Amino acid sequence: MLELRMIDFGFGSAKPILKSVSLSLAQGEILGLSGPSGAGKSTLGRIAAGYVKPLAGEVLLNGTSPTLGHQPIQYVHQSSIFAVNPRWRIGRIISEAWQPDSGTLNALGVSRRWFDRYPHEISGGELQRVVLARALGPQTRFLVADELSAMLDPITQVEIWSFLMERRDQGLGVLAISHDTALLEQVSTRRVVLAMGHLQPAADIRQSETAESRVALSCR
């Protein structure tokens, strides 16, 4: 179980963007996180993965703070070119974390022919597959997928999310951050929305929006 408890975060003296935010994510679950731009979704994801320290609150993995070393919580965002060393060849980038089996590489569409190339010598979609393969080592229990497929073509999106849903069935937990609510509705086991520093279940947001629509219609 991955838990974020009473997380606060802000920049300097500015108004906090996260206020006592708590969420839990079980293995074998895809939790969809959406919300308006600037709401703090990526910041919350980075806090979950240990990239950013909150001003208050804690991140727990099975009831304890994550330890140093290979992190069982991995973070992948849409700009894969910034997540790799441009001077390393693809083979070295992948093996930095583990040696993926052929089944994983084939499922993600990662060709061994790329291994002798540099990141700029393959496409953005291909590099995103490489970064994802690197992240999904045998010790990975949770993946923070921050707009993971936003820059990819529809076919690649389907292939990647189909693979992640298979991994979910094998016990991987995924925090899926996206503006694409249609995608989240398809892949998530449940959804939450971050707005004004707080989380709400997506169902509550839909019910609120429906009620507002009814009021607007009754006033016409």
Side-chain angles (χ1 to χ4, degrees):
M1 178 73 73
L2 174 62
E3 297 177 273
L4 279 67
R5 295 183 178 177
M6 303 298 288
I7 298 295
D8 288 352
F9 188 84
F11 296 97
S13 59
K15 184 179 179 180
I17 59 173
L18 299 175
K19 308 169 188 175
S20 301
V21 172
S22 297
L23 65 79
S24 61
L25 174 62
Q27 288 188 238
E29 177 182 25
I30 298 180
L31 174 61
L33 173 60
S34 58
S37 297
K41 302 184 298 299
S42 292
T43 298
L44 188 62
R46 288 174 176 272
I47 289 172
Y51 283 39
V52 174
K53 290 186 178 181
L55 298 179
E58 57 184 348
V59 177
L60 300 176
L61 182 63
N62 297 327
T64 61
S65 299
T67 58
L68 297 176
H70 180 83
Q71 291 299 313
I73 309 164
Q74 292 290 308
Y75 177 89
V76 177
H77 58 86
Q78 62 179 319
S79 300
S80 53
I81 192 64
F82 299 114
V84 298
N85 188 328
R87 296 185 175 87
W88 285 10
R89 297 180 191 271
I90 298 301
R92 183 180 179 186
I93 288 171
I94 292 180
S95 63
E96 180 183 16
W98 69 303
Q99 294 288 347
D101 56 90
S102 295
T104 298
L105 294 178
N106 292 338
L108 283 172
V110 175
S111 172
R112 292 187 183 276
R113 293 193 303 270
W114 304 345
F115 280 27
D116 290 330
R117 301 179 187 176
Y118 291 97
H120 70 274
E121 295 178 322
I122 63 176
S123 72
E126 290 169 343
L127 187 59
Q128 190 72 321
R129 294 168 187 259
V130 167
V131 171
L132 184 56
R134 180 182 63 178
L136 294 177
Q139 294 178 310
T140 300
R141 299 292 176 263
F142 295 94
L143 175 72
V144 179
D146 188 358
E147 296 287 3
L148 172 69
S149 59
M151 303 297 290
L152 306 179
D153 64 84
I155 292 176
T156 303
Q157 285 192 31
V158 170
E159 291 174 347
I160 284 179
W161 280 106
S162 295
F163 175 77
L164 288 177
M165 292 174 77
E166 290 178 5
R167 289 295 302 267
R168 174 203 63 193
D169 294 340
Q170 298 169 11
L172 179 71
V174 181
L175 177 60
I177 302 172
S178 180
H179 286 101
D180 188 344
T181 55
L183 170 67
L184 294 181
E185 287 174 357
Q186 290 293 318
V187 304
S188 303
T189 48
R190 61 187 174 94
R191 291 177 51 217
V192 292
V193 176
L194 180 63
M196 304 295 290
H198 300 284
L199 284 178
Q200 294 186 57
D204 292 350
I205 297 294
R206 288 198 297 270
Q207 291 170 3
S208 175
E209 290 173 345
T210 301
E212 290 176 1
S213 298
R214 288 172 180 166
V215 170
L217 288 171
S218 66
C219 293
R220 289 180 180 175

